[in-house]
Structure formats: C-alpha cells, structure tokens
Amino acid sequence: MSDDESFASRVSAPLEYSYPGVSVLSVTDVADGVEVIENEHVDAVVTDARTIASAPRLLAAVRDRRPELSLLVLSMQSVDSDRLTAVAEVVDFLDASRAADDPALADWVANSVVDDVSSGPSAADDGPPLTGGTNRIEETIAAIKRQLVDATRPGEVETAVCDQIVLTDSYEFAWIGEFDRGEGQVVPWGTATSGDEWPRSRTFPAGNGAEGVLAQVLAERTPIFLEDVEGYDSFVPWREEAIARGCRSIAFVPLQTEDELFGVFAVYSTHSGGFDAGERSALLDVAETTARVLEGMAIRGRIDQQERILRRHERLVETVGDGMYALDADGHFMTVNDALCSMTGYAREGLLGEHIEMILTSDSSTFWHAAVESLQDVESTSQSLELTVQPKRGDPFPCENKVGLLPSDEAGRSRGTVGVLRDITERKQRERELQRQNERLDAFASIVSHDLRNPLSVAQGYLELVEESADDQESVERVDEALARMNEMIDDVLALARGGQSATDAAPVQLAAVVDAAWSNVDTGQAHLSIEADVLINADESRLLRMLENLFRNAIEHGGDAASAIARADDPEASSDDQSMNPLSVRVGELEQPDPSMVGFYVEDDGSGIPPDVRDSVFESNFTTSSDGHGIGLWVVSEVADAHGWTPTATVGSEGGARFEFTNVERAD
C-alpha cells in the first residue's frame, strides 16, 4: 500500500512474478487500504515510511483493528525505527540502499505470509509451504510461462527458462541448444547454473551417424530421462562436469512442434530420486511452451523478412520509370505503379479492377491474349512483345511489354500475370529515321554505281576513239583526267557509304602489306615511302586499303613544294631549279599504346603540313584546301576508322608535314 503508484507497482511486481500462490492487492488510495485491512482477510502489509507518516488512519487500522498483521516498511529516507515499532509490529525494515523491486523483498513478504499462516489454526488446510517440493516446481513453471509469453528474442527465452529452472531446489544446471542440421551439431545458446560457472563454448554431435543421448533424442523426437548419469554408456553432454557437481540425473527433452524441430532442452538434477512424474510432466510442459515460442519467433522472423523484401520491391516498383502491373487470372488489374498511371492517364483507382484491354488497342489485346496462352502452354517464364497502348487521352503509342506468369496455386490453377510496359516511341522514331536514311543511302549508292558509271564508261570509250585522230591531244588529256577524277569520286562515295557501318569483316592483316598495296594503287610519281610498322592488326582489309589510298593521295596532292616536284619530275620543260627540288617522303610507323592488346600507327609526310587553324576540321565532309578537290577523301578516312572503332587524329609530322595518327587499333593474335 502506498500513495505513490510507481512505488506500489514496483513492490508488487516481483511478488506476483516469483510467488503466484500469493494473492497481491496493490492499493494507492489510503482510504481504500484502510477499508481492506478492516474488512478483508490480509496476512501482511507492505508500505513505505512516507505513506505511514502522512496517513494516521492506516496506522490506527493496523494498531487498533489488526495488531496481528505483519508490517514491512520500505524507507527511502532516514526514519526513527523506534517510533515505528511503537505504532505496530514491524517484522523487517528496508533502507534506501535496497531497491523496491528487489526479488529479496518478495521472498520476505512470502516468508512472512507463510509464517503467519503456519502459526494459525488453519495452516494445515493450506497445503505445503511455497519454498520447496512439487508446489515450488509448479510455481516456477507458471513463472516461466508468464515470461515466455512476452519473449521476442532468444536471450529472453534463456532468461525465462534456464535462469528460472536453476532457482528450483535440486536443479544444478539447465541449457537450451539449437540443432544445426547442416553441420549435424547441437549448439548451446542458453545456459544457467545455480553454482559455479560451467563451460560454455562447446558443440555436440547429433546428426546422422552420431552416437549419444542427444542424437537419440533428436532422431526419435522423444524425451530421455537419465536416472544414472555416471552409468550411462553413451555420450552425455557435460558428463564430467555434472558428476563433479553431484548431478545424478539429467532430463533431455526435444524442442519441437508439429512442423519443426528446433533443438533440445536439458536439466541437470542433484536429487537422488531422479525426476518424479510431476517433474517430468512440468519439464515437458516447459519444453512444449518454449518450442511454441521459438516457432513464433521463427514465423515472425520470416514474416519480417518477407515484409522487408516486400517493402524493397514496392519501393523499386514505385521508383522505376517503366509501367508495372499485376493481373488476376482473368486479366484484371490487381496492382499498378505510379509510372503506369502516368503513362495511361488513369488514376490508380481507375485502373484497379479493370481489364487490361481498357488500355490496349484491339489488335494489341489479341497479341496480349495470345502471348499469355503461349506462356501457359509451354510453361515459359516470360515473353516480350510490342503492344500499342491507348491512353485515357491522346494518341496511342507503342510499348514493349515484358509479361510473365504468377506461380500457380496448389491446384495448378493460374494466379494471373505480371508485366512491365516501356514506352518505345522514341526508339520507334529512331528506327524509322534510320530506315529512311538507309533507303536513301541504298538509292544513292545505286545511282552512283550504275547510273553514273555507265555514262562514264561510254565517255571514256569514245574518248579513246577521239584520241587516235584528234590533233589537240592536250584537250583530250584534260578530258581523260576529268573522267578519271570522276571515277575516283565514285569510289570515294561508295567507300563512304560502306564506312558508315561497323567493320564486320575484320580479320588479321599485316599492316605493312596493305600499306605497300595501297601505295602501288596511287600515282605517287617520285615520292618515297618508308614503312616502319610491320604489325598484325584486326581490320577489314578492303576498307583499310581504301583509307590508306586516300591518305597517300592526300599527301601527294597537298604536299606543297615537294608535291610540285613530283608533278614536275616527268616534265621535260621543267627548269634545272625545279628538277633539284626534293621529292616527297611518306612514312608509316607504329605508335606505342598503354594497353598491350592494342596498337597504333601513323602516316606522315614531309610536305607543307596542315595549317593549325584547319587541323580540327580536316575530317569533316566537303572540307578541302584545294581548288579542284572534292573534299571527301579525309572524310572517308574518318568513316573507315570509326567503323573499326579506331580514333583518328590530325597533327604535325616529325619534319613539319601532315601526320595522321590512329589509336585503339586491336592487335591480332
């Protein structure tokens, strides 16, 4: 009794917890407490000094009406004990150094009640005392069950079971072990002892092929009560420690439910008579309750894990940019994400429960049904198809739909489908544009290769006839040069058309051999070629040949004074000064690359070079510094390099001329 509600709760809790046979009435109103003392059967009163000092009616009730009552006073401050004993009989006194919820207080109250009851005439009717025998076991079991109800972690199970068991007389040691099927071991994770500490860090064999009491208990799923630990001829956990501490019998009870086997519960007893029927029943009851609690923890753990997974999936579904849905077996929306609502223009409530046909065109609905049927027929996991989505407002748009089946139920019936819708409008536009470009390119290449080459061939044929009889040979030569130039332009354009595609015909080629072949295909006059790159690379040989021809032709045509010397070398009317000019020199060499699987090479000349202000533009289409050039020669070079995945660069040569470098070239094995 106390007018401090917190104090009253802390005092009554350990008594109710430890001694369920004692009825506890917690009173916080003094008037109610006085009425209880005067009118009801009370064996002891527990209060605090502050309440006694402030409530004379309580003291009068104890002194005048019930002087036989035991009065326990908990003092949180200095109190004159002589004054208190003058008021009523005080059986004990606790000072502020002992907490109100100390279990010892509960023992004192229980002992006071037992002593008081034992001294009265009705003591024989109330049964054996609370502090021993079967009654004590039953009370302990009841306390264990109350604690297990609130247990949420294995550590709380250990406290509720093992720690309580060893408080009972004659029980020296108790432990709980988990059965690890994968390792075939029992792993003790909860132990308690009434005396000296026992070894903790052990595991015990209990799987297939193991011998001993644990293996037998878990294999047969039945309890075993060893009445003679020392005489048992098979393996017993902690046998030596048990014998050394006077343990004569051990109970091993499997922790199991109908669906699962968790481990084993063991209790070591020093009682000479072993475990009687009441104890065995009580320990089986504890094991069953513990198994149920562990099962509940396992189920809650699985549920929590599934909830975490579900929350992660929900976050993924809601944050992904594609529309996602789940349909029942009849094709009605069960779940949709925000992206699907945004794509279709419908609110979530407007889609849920509706059929998927609501957002598809009629043709797409037919495709979707056919895809779902094919999945069910062949038991495939998923299928991709293109559908046209009809939004709530606006024009239909194309989507790629990845659709899959939900797992069937136990009867094999379909639970429905799930799917992902991705808007592919931009991709379709790019495909159409690319198709149109390819069609135009094919038409252009056809015109170049047929419609232009045919009249050129005719013109060249007639020119040969005119050349035999014409007096103006200079004019004939100019026409011949123009026609040849047109043929070169056609070759460049066709090479450019092919260069826009990737080099699918790449194969190992010797760079030096292709360089030599390209040089021989170009009219180089007296120009000199130096090959210093004898390396094996992966390339489309025909495209590489065309690229090198354009580079050599560019060097001859734009090599400055050296190029003029080449052009004049065969001119009989050229002056001696002109003849003394040095011919152009072209060099092909290898570049070092940081990746050993790659190689680089360059083509440079010792001509006049590329002006710095145009160096970054030389690979652009229609760029030329010559009055009679067509400007696509180096563009072809760039396109061929890109088709191979190479990186072309225009820079200054070692002797001031033009230099073209190519890196990221794959080295052939």
Side-chain angles (χ1 to χ4, degrees):
M1 179 187 305
S2 174
D3 54 7
D4 184 345
E5 184 175 354
S6 174
F7 170 84
S9 175
R10 289 186 294 126
V11 169
S12 60
L15 184 60
E16 293 176 329
Y17 159 76
S18 301
Y19 296 94
V22 176
S23 297
V24 180
L25 178 63
S26 178
V27 180
T28 58
D29 184 85
V30 173
D32 293 341
V34 171
E35 184 177 353
V36 169
I37 292 172
E38 292 178 347
N39 301 316
E40 297 186 19
H41 177 72
V42 177
D43 296 310
V45 176
V46 180
T47 185
D48 62 299
R50 190 172 61 83
T51 301
I52 291 178
S54 62
R57 288 180 298 168
L58 172 61
L59 298 177
V62 175
R63 180 186 59 190
D64 300 334
R65 304 290 182 90
R66 299 291 302 280
E68 79 282 1
L69 283 181
S70 297
L71 177 63
L72 276 70
V73 180
L74 178 65
S75 174
M76 304 304 293
Q77 57 189 358
S78 176
V79 175
D80 184 356
S81 60
D82 294 336
R83 182 172 63 84
L84 293 180
T85 56
V87 178
E89 178 189 2
V90 179
V91 298
D92 220 323
F93 180 83
L94 304 180
D95 60 23
S97 64
R98 187 179 297 276
D101 54 358
D102 192 324
L105 176 60
D107 293 337
W108 292 353
V109 174
N111 290 331
S112 177
V113 172
V114 171
D115 292 342
D116 184 66
V117 172
S118 300
S119 64
S122 60
D125 299 332
D126 292 339
L130 300 175
T131 55
T134 304
N135 221 23
R136 176 60 170 158
I137 296 295
E138 293 175 353
E139 293 167 3
T140 301
I141 301 308
I144 289 174
K145 288 185 175 182
R146 284 197 301 273
Q147 291 192 59
L148 285 176
V149 169
D150 299 324
T152 58
R153 299 186 302 273
E156 294 174 353
V157 174
E158 173 190 354
T159 301
V161 179
C162 298
D163 289 358
Q164 285 296 317
I165 284 290
V166 297
L167 293 177
T168 306
D169 294 343
S170 77
Y171 292 164
E172 175 70 20
F173 184 51
W175 60 277
I176 294 174
E178 178 187 4
F179 180 38
D180 186 338
R181 290 174 177 79
E183 297 294 332
Q185 299 280 332
V186 169
V187 184
W189 53 264
T191 62
T193 177
S194 63
D196 297 335
E197 289 294 322
W198 289 43
R200 298 292 182 93
S201 302
R202 290 189 180 179
T203 60
F204 304 112
N208 294 332
E211 296 181 355
V213 64
L214 290 183
Q216 183 179 350
V217 168
L218 295 176
E220 299 177 0
R221 294 199 174 196
T222 57
I224 293 179
F225 295 91
L226 298 183
E227 303 298 343
D228 182 9
V229 177
E230 191 171 0
Y232 187 71
D233 59 358
S234 190
F235 173 76
V236 177
W238 283 300
R239 182 201 300 267
E240 292 77 10
E241 290 82 356
I243 295 173
R245 288 167 172 79
C247 296
R248 302 184 180 183
S249 55
I250 306 176
F252 295 97
V253 185
L255 298 174
Q256 61 183 338
T257 61
E258 294 82 357
D259 301 323
E260 199 161 352
L261 175 63
F262 296 98
V264 65
F265 168 49
V267 178
Y268 293 55
S269 173
T270 58
H271 195 274
S272 59
F275 299 94
D276 61 26
E279 289 179 289
R280 295 189 181 198
S281 176
L283 293 177
L284 292 176
D285 193 9
V286 170
E288 181 181 1
T289 305
T290 303
R292 297 293 180 188
V293 171
L294 293 175
E295 182 181 43
M297 291 181 183
I299 293 174
R300 286 195 297 271
R302 289 193 290 267
I303 292 175
D304 291 343
Q305 182 181 16
Q306 292 299 323
E307 288 179 349
R308 289 193 295 271
I309 294 174
L310 180 60
R311 285 194 293 271
R312 287 199 298 269
H313 288 174
E314 287 176 346
R315 286 196 294 270
L316 288 173
V317 168
E318 290 303 332
T319 55
V320 73
D322 297 332
M324 304 183 72
Y325 63 83
L327 308 176
D328 62 17
D330 296 323
H332 298 92
F333 286 109
M334 296 188 297
T335 303
V336 295
N337 70 341
D338 292 341
L340 185 65
C341 296
S342 177
M343 290 170 62
T344 60
Y346 290 96
R348 191 184 302 269
E349 295 75 10
L351 287 176
L352 295 178
E354 298 294 337
H355 200 277
I356 190 175
E357 292 177 350
M358 185 176 74
I359 65 170
L360 300 178
T361 62
S362 57
D363 291 341
S364 293
S365 297
T366 303
F367 295 153
W368 182 86
H369 283 290
V372 174
E373 290 178 3
S374 66
L375 286 174
Q376 294 172 342
D377 292 340
V378 300
E379 297 183 353
S380 299
T381 56
S382 63
Q383 183 175 337
S384 295
L385 64 156
E386 290 188 5
L387 301 175
T388 302
V389 172
Q390 176 62 64
K392 186 176 182 180
R393 298 180 182 84
D395 298 329
F397 57 90
C399 279
E400 182 181 66
N401 183 209
K402 186 84 167 181
V403 60
L405 295 179
L406 288 170
S408 301
D409 61 14
E410 295 179 355
R413 294 184 298 266
S414 172
R415 295 182 185 270
T417 57
V418 292
V420 179
L421 280 172
R422 172 170 295 178
D423 187 347
I424 56 173
T425 301
E426 294 183 359
R427 191 178 78 186
K428 285 295 184 181
Q429 290 176 348
R430 291 194 298 270
E431 289 177 356
R432 288 193 293 269
E433 292 173 359
L434 181 60
Q435 183 178 0
R436 288 194 295 267
Q437 291 176 358
N438 289 336
E439 290 173 353
R440 290 196 298 267
L441 184 59
D442 289 342
F444 175 70
S446 177
I447 292 173
V448 170
S449 61
H450 297 90
D451 297 354
L452 289 182
R453 282 194 187 277
N454 288 338
L456 276 175
S457 298
V458 173
Q460 287 176 329
Y462 280 107
L463 182 61
E464 292 176 359
L465 296 176
V466 173
E467 188 177 6
E468 296 176 356
S469 59
D471 295 332
D472 189 0
Q473 291 296 319
E474 181 179 354
S475 298
V476 172
E477 291 176 359
R478 291 182 179 275
V479 173
D480 185 47
E481 291 175 358
L483 293 176
R485 188 62 171 167
M486 291 180 67
N487 265 319
E488 292 176 358
M489 291 175 62
I490 291 174
D491 291 338
D492 284 342
V493 170
L494 291 177
L496 181 61
R498 287 193 65 199
Q501 304 171 1
S502 60
T504 57
D505 297 331
V509 296
Q510 200 71 36
L511 179 60
V514 182
V515 169
D516 190 62
W519 185 262
S520 63
N521 292 342
V522 177
D523 184 8
T524 57
Q526 294 185 354
H528 173 69
L529 174 67
S530 174
I531 303 176
E532 302 174 4
D534 189 11
V535 62
L536 193 66
I537 64 173
N538 281 323
D540 185 322
E541 185 172 357
S542 62
R543 296 195 197 187
L544 176 61
L545 180 66
R546 188 63 184 171
M547 185 188 81
L548 292 170
E549 288 174 355
N550 280 17
L551 287 172
F552 295 152
R553 190 178 295 113
N554 180 79
I556 299 302
E557 294 176 355
H558 302 284
D561 293 340
S564 300
I566 296 172
R568 297 175 185 177
D570 296 330
D571 187 355
E573 298 181 0
S575 65
S576 59
D577 292 338
D578 292 337
Q579 294 288 348
S580 64
M581 298 180 66
N582 296 324
L584 185 72
S585 176
V586 178
R587 186 160 61 100
V588 179
E590 183 179 350
L591 295 170
E592 292 185 0
Q593 295 284 276
D595 186 349
S597 65
M598 295 294 177
V599 69
F601 66 92
Y602 63 87
V603 177
E604 69 174 11
D605 60 56
D606 57 357
S608 57
I610 306 172
D613 57 333
V614 300
R615 199 169 292 154
D616 296 334
S617 306
V618 295
F619 293 122
E620 296 178 3
S621 61
N622 299 324
F623 175 83
T624 181
T625 58
S626 173
S627 59
D628 58 350
H630 53 77
I632 63 174
L634 292 180
W635 189 20
V636 171
V637 171
S638 175
E639 290 296 315
V640 172
D642 290 342
H644 285 84
W646 304 342
T647 302
T649 305
T651 183
V652 180
S654 58
E655 298 185 19
R659 178 183 173 107
F660 298 93
E661 296 180 349
F662 301 88
T663 55
N664 297 325
V665 181
E666 184 180 1
R667 186 189 300 272
D669 294 334

